[in-house]
Amino acid sequence: MLATDKVFAGSIPEIYDNVLVPLIFEVYAADMAGRVTEKPVHDVLETAAGSGVVTRALAPLLAADARYVVTDLNPPMLERARARQGDDPRLTWQPADALDLPFPDASFDAICCQFGVMFFPDRIKGYAEARRVLRPGGRFIFNVWDDIGQNAFADVVTRVAATLLPAAPPRFLARTPHGHGNPRLIRTELAQAGYAHVSVEQITATSTAADPAIPAMAYCRGTPMYGELAPHGEAMVQRVVDAATEEIRALYGDGPVSAPISGFVVTAW
């Protein structure tokens, strides 16, 4: 993982939240919220909360006296999430590193992390930290994207960008979000972190946008892929967006477009 892979700053949080979240994240957030609350929970921790799509789905399902601590390593994303959520006395917003959580042992009934573990510099350490702050019987629920070939819009954007920038092909999407969807490796790393029970389930869905330009712009400008494109100049950024738009239009039609997405949801305890 490159240093730029973790940079969500500038205009990225707004584009990510307004465009990319409805495109690919909302369906998985609803699933995550349902899984967290399928058993009684009082104290819940969310790590790598991003712009708060899971927070918005999960908070309404928690009891009136629940405690929900929402964290992210990136303050601009956390501020975006907090601004969207509105006042809720059950919620605490706190910048935190998932590999070094500032909480005592056995503090939470459940921990959730939507599409965040792929950004952990040391996943086993991050898994072990989650286990440390879980109470006996507590659950760590997270998800990861499947291979980029199973996520069509991301694959198209990556291939188009590589064609236009052959000397320095932008590989953020394939390398980080879509580079860790290996159920066997996930099970092995969780066992090394001390979990006795692990469930991995594939979830497929459909990504839909009103126009082919939306997924092209979302991935190029609303993710750290922008950090790979920007050094080549704004004209090149827009050229990649435009070329990806045309490729999506050629493959999926004009007007509203839909393509498959795939990820895995993991429950460890």
Side-chain angles (χ1 to χ4, degrees), residues 165-227:
L165 293 165
R171 296 291 297 166
F172 164 74
L173 295 174
R175 178 178 59 246
T176 300
H178 297 284
H180 303 285
N182 183 327
R184 180 178 295 179
L185 181 59
I186 290 168
R187 290 179 183 275
T188 298
E189 291 179 339
L190 285 166
Q192 292 174 351
Y195 293 88
H197 307 281
V198 177
S199 168
V200 182
E201 180 182 344
Q202 184 180 30
I203 298 179
T204 59
T206 301
S207 177
T208 300
D211 182 272
I214 292 174
M217 188 269 287
Y219 283 110
C220 290
R221 297 186 179 277
T223 76
M225 183 181 182
Y226 181 73

Side-chain angles (χ1 to χ4, degrees), residues 237-256:
V237 176
Q238 191 57 47
R239 186 179 171 192
V240 173
V241 172
D242 292 343
T245 298
E246 291 310 309
E247 182 68 9
I248 293 169
R249 178 175 286 114
L251 291 170
Y252 299 101
D254 207 353

Side-chain angles (χ1 to χ4, degrees), residues 2 14 21 25 42 54 58 77 93 95 160 177 186 188-189 191 194-195 207 215 218 220 226 256:
L2 302 181
E14 182 176 359
V21 163
F25 288 115
H42 182 272
V54 170
L58 177 53
M77 292 291 275
W93 304 89
V160 167
I186 290 168
T188 298
E189 291 179 339
Y195 293 88
S207 177
C220 290
Y226 181 73

Side-chain angles (χ1 to χ4, degrees), residues 55-221:
T55 316
R56 294 190 289 273
L58 177 53
L61 304 182
L62 296 174
D65 64 344
R67 178 175 71 109
Y68 186 3
V69 182
V70 185
T71 70
D72 195 276
L73 184 62
N74 196 299
M77 292 291 275
L78 196 63
E79 284 305 310
R80 176 76 184 181
R82 184 174 186 170
R84 286 286 307 273
Q85 189 72 29
D87 294 334
D88 188 331
R90 302 171 303 165
L91 271 62
T92 299
W93 304 89
Q94 184 170 343
D97 184 346
L99 275 63
D100 187 19
L101 293 169
F103 308 111
D105 295 358
S107 297
F108 297 97
D109 303 312
I111 299 172
C112 60
C113 181
Q114 169 150 285
F115 299 113
V117 303
M118 303 90 76
F119 295 90
F120 292 1
D122 184 335
R123 289 187 302 280
I124 295 173
K125 184 177 180 181
Y127 297 159
E129 266 295 271
R131 181 176 178 273
R132 178 184 67 79
V133 302
L134 276 174
R135 294 181 177 132
R139 296 166 297 140
F140 177 32
I141 306 171
F142 65 91
N143 43 26
V144 298
W145 291 114
D146 202 344
D147 182 81
I148 195 168
Q150 305 302 314
N151 291 270
F153 288 146
D155 192 33
V156 169
V157 172
T158 297
R159 288 191 287 103
V160 167
T163 299
L164 294 175
L165 293 165
R171 296 291 297 166
F172 164 74
L173 295 174
R175 178 178 59 246
T176 300
H178 297 284
H180 303 285
N182 183 327
R184 180 178 295 179
L185 181 59
I186 290 168
R187 290 179 183 275
T188 298
E189 291 179 339
L190 285 166
Q192 292 174 351
Y195 293 88
H197 307 281
V198 177
S199 168
V200 182
E201 180 182 344
Q202 184 180 30
I203 298 179
T204 59
T206 301
S207 177
T208 300
D211 182 272
I214 292 174
M217 188 269 287
Y219 283 110
C220 290
R221 297 186 179 277

